[in-house]
Amino acid sequence: MPVSSFDIRRVIRPNILRLEPYRCARDDYSEGVLLDANENSFGPAYQASIVPASGSSDQVHIEARTGGQQLHRYPDPLGREVKQRILKLRPSVAGIDNVFLGVGSDEVIDLLVRITCQPGRDSVLVTPPTYGMYRVVASINDVGVVKVPLIVEGGAFQLDVDAVIKAALDDESIKIIWLCSPGNPTGTVLQEEDVRRVLECGFGGLVVIDEAYVDFTRADRGQSYARLVAEYPGLFVMQTMSKSFGLAGIRLGVGIGGCEVVYHLNNTKAPYSVSTLTLDVAKAALSDEGILKMRAVIDILREQRDEFLIPELRKLPHVGAILGGNDGNFVLCRLVDSSGCASNEIAKSVYTEMAEKRGLVVRFRGTDYGCEGCLRVTVGTAEENRMVIEVMRSLLSAIP
Ligand SMILES: Cc1ncc(COP(=O)(O)O)c(C=O)c1O
């Protein structure tokens, strides 16, 4: 096992290390006559429940059966049953003490910054083009942002490993290195050799790999980096129920890391942040049946991405290239002018026309580093994807 430079006492803020966390009787006792938390024993005034999803037999959907919900009770503050099911999905994770649940990955991002970075003093390292929330959360917490761009030439979107290591070792204020694999908006899986070099470089902070899109990755491009958590105490992996499980509305983000980091995250979060409704739906989605359905949808989505959307986009006029690895549920498509140069003007006008005149909303990413002229198109249903191609064909054919 590599020698680790990770030292929890130097990574976690002193006030968080000293924190006496909020405790409730429910941490110790959750059964019997519960008169400890000032709940309303008469039950919910409004009888809320989630009805099983109904749909035609050829539709793949998740059934959220939540019989026996105790909505007048606070949820399990640690979401233990959901964590047990996550262990089944990710067998390389040692135990539920290595798993954190947050209100979406976005809350996990915020909490990671809050437990490690001293406002006005510390900073995080990001590798543009990347997910925008790392920067936004840093700004909100008055934390600096050090940028080490990806190598973008030829649409590689891989780490500039030497530059990342140099920045991380030269600047003691850096507490987190944010990596995203598959990246957003790049769709590219980071090479394991590069990730290991960063983990082994002597950096004493947290290396966080955001794997929001990991389930869409082709099998031959590698598996989740969660399997390296046992090897590297400074590694923290983030996943989410929002993408492959199609449950963006329940807001459940999953963090996988060393027990000590998870412990401090649990101490810092609001005690009952993840609701009973969310936990119940997640439990159903993480059942054997739910996971099978998730995988079935992914097969369809990958086929739509690889066999339809990408080849059809490539045939369109003014489409210069499909950039990146295409390992997410989206495609990054570069639009070019008549001389073949990336054109933000064309991309912006197509984006606006699509949204305002055709009711079809994609994302303009032309101002991201290395993404000039780019639109990011989420892979939709077969019908939605056909519509994207038809609308883009009609708009792009009208451009000289
Ligand atoms: C890379 C990445 N991380 C995290 C998120 C946020 O996920 P969640 O819905 O779990 O907050 C997104 C959402 O688009 C994302 O692209």
Side-chain angles (χ1 to χ4, degrees):
M1 189 175 283
V3 179
S4 171
S5 46
F6 179 78
D7 175 358
I8 193 84
R9 302 196 68 77
R10 302 183 85 189
V11 175
I12 304 294
R13 286 167 66 191
N15 60 314
I16 302 293
L17 284 173
R18 284 193 308 268
L19 182 71
E20 196 177 312
Y22 181 81
R23 296 270 299 147
C24 47
R26 218 55 68 83
D27 290 330
D28 304 316
Y29 310 103
S30 57
E31 277 166 19
V33 178
L34 298 173
L35 298 176
D36 59 301
N38 300 344
E39 295 152 335
N40 184 336
S41 295
F42 293 84
Y46 173 72
Q47 293 292 330
S49 66
I50 294 178
V51 288
S54 62
S56 62
S57 54
D58 61 340
Q59 256 186 334
V60 183
H61 60 253
I62 286 160
E63 285 192 22
R65 287 185 207 278
T66 56
Q69 267 169 345
Q70 296 271 296
L71 291 185
H72 58 306
R73 299 292 178 200
Y74 284 109
D76 173 7
L78 294 175
R80 282 165 274 222
E81 288 184 64
V82 167
K83 288 179 182 172
Q84 289 291 359
R85 293 197 174 190
I86 286 168
L87 297 186
K88 277 182 75 184
L89 178 69
R90 312 284 180 210
S92 64
V93 182
I96 64 169
D97 292 343
N98 297 94
V99 182
F100 176 74
L101 298 180
V103 183
S105 305
D106 286 340
E107 193 204 33
V108 185
I109 295 170
D110 183 58
L111 282 167
L112 284 167
V113 169
R114 282 168 57 203
I115 66 166
T116 57
C117 295
Q118 199 109 295
R121 203 192 73 179
D122 290 334
S123 47
V124 297
L125 186 153
V126 299
T127 60
T130 193
Y131 183 47
M133 281 301 282
Y134 315 138
R135 176 188 59 74
V136 172
V137 165
S139 299
I140 292 168
N141 287 288
D142 193 16
V143 159
V145 178
V146 175
K147 293 182 185 167
V148 181
L150 296 176
I151 296 166
V152 298
E153 283 69 33
F157 294 128
Q158 289 297 332
L159 293 177
D160 185 344
V161 192
D162 291 334
V164 169
I165 292 175
K166 183 169 178 356
L169 296 183
D170 283 357
D171 185 344
E172 284 201 349
S173 78
I174 296 173
K175 290 289 162 51
I176 296 179
I177 298 176
W178 290 112
L179 305 179
C180 192
S181 179
N184 175 8
T186 69
T188 303
V189 175
L190 296 177
Q191 284 163 13
E192 183 163 335
E193 187 192 333
D194 293 351
V195 170
R196 282 191 185 267
R197 276 189 64 204
V198 173
L199 286 165
E200 291 174 14
C201 77
F203 171 62
L206 276 183
V207 177
V208 183
I209 307 184
D210 184 343
E211 294 191 332
Y213 300 97
V214 71
D215 294 318
F216 301 107
T217 306
R218 296 178 188 94
D220 59 337
R221 307 280 179 107
Q223 321 126 30
S224 166
Y225 282 112
R227 72 190 192 286
L228 301 189
V229 162
E231 218 176 310
Y232 298 99
L235 172 62
F236 193 89
V237 172
M238 295 196 318
Q239 298 177 351
T240 176
M241 298 298 286
S242 297
K243 311 294 179 183
S244 55
F245 283 94
L247 289 170
I250 70 168
R251 311 303 302 128
L252 191 69
V254 178
I256 297 165
C259 300
E260 289 177 301
V261 176
V262 170
Y263 169 81
H264 290 295
L265 287 168
N266 281 330
N267 287 352
T268 306
K269 81 176 182 74
Y272 305 112
S273 48
V274 179
S275 78
T276 302
L277 296 170
T278 294
L279 292 172
D280 281 354
V281 175
K283 240 184 293 170
L286 288 160
S287 64
D288 291 344
E289 189 194 350
I291 290 169
L292 279 179
K293 286 184 177 176
M294 176 273 271
R295 297 212 164 112
V297 171
I298 283 183
D299 285 345
I300 299 169
L301 196 145
R302 281 199 195 123
E303 193 189 329
Q304 277 294 308
R305 177 188 68 194
D306 300 336
E307 313 295 328
F308 179 76
L309 198 55
I310 293 176
E312 290 301 316
L313 280 169
R314 283 207 172 106
K315 290 182 203 158
L316 298 181
H318 292 285
V319 169
I322 304 297
L323 295 191
N326 300 309
D327 273 309
N329 64 340
F330 52 85
V331 174
L332 190 64
C333 168
R334 170 168 279 158
L335 302 187
V336 296
D337 61 20
S338 53
S339 53
C341 294
S343 170
N344 269 356
E345 201 187 324
I346 292 177
K348 197 75 202 257
S349 80
V350 168
Y351 160 76
T352 311
E353 290 255 316
M354 282 172 85
E356 294 182 5
K357 305 220 171 107
R358 312 290 180 106
L360 187 56
V361 185
V362 297
R363 188 91 185 262
F364 172 69
R365 300 302 306 237
T367 52
D368 284 44
Y369 180 78
C371 298
E372 200 179 357
C374 282
L375 298 179
R376 192 194 67 196
V377 183
T378 304
V379 182
T381 61
E383 196 186 333
E384 288 169 338
N385 300 332
R386 266 196 305 276
M387 190 175 158
V388 168
I389 297 299
E390 273 162 33
V391 169
M392 283 185 72
R393 184 181 293 116
S394 89
L395 293 174
L396 289 168
S397 306
I399 296 171

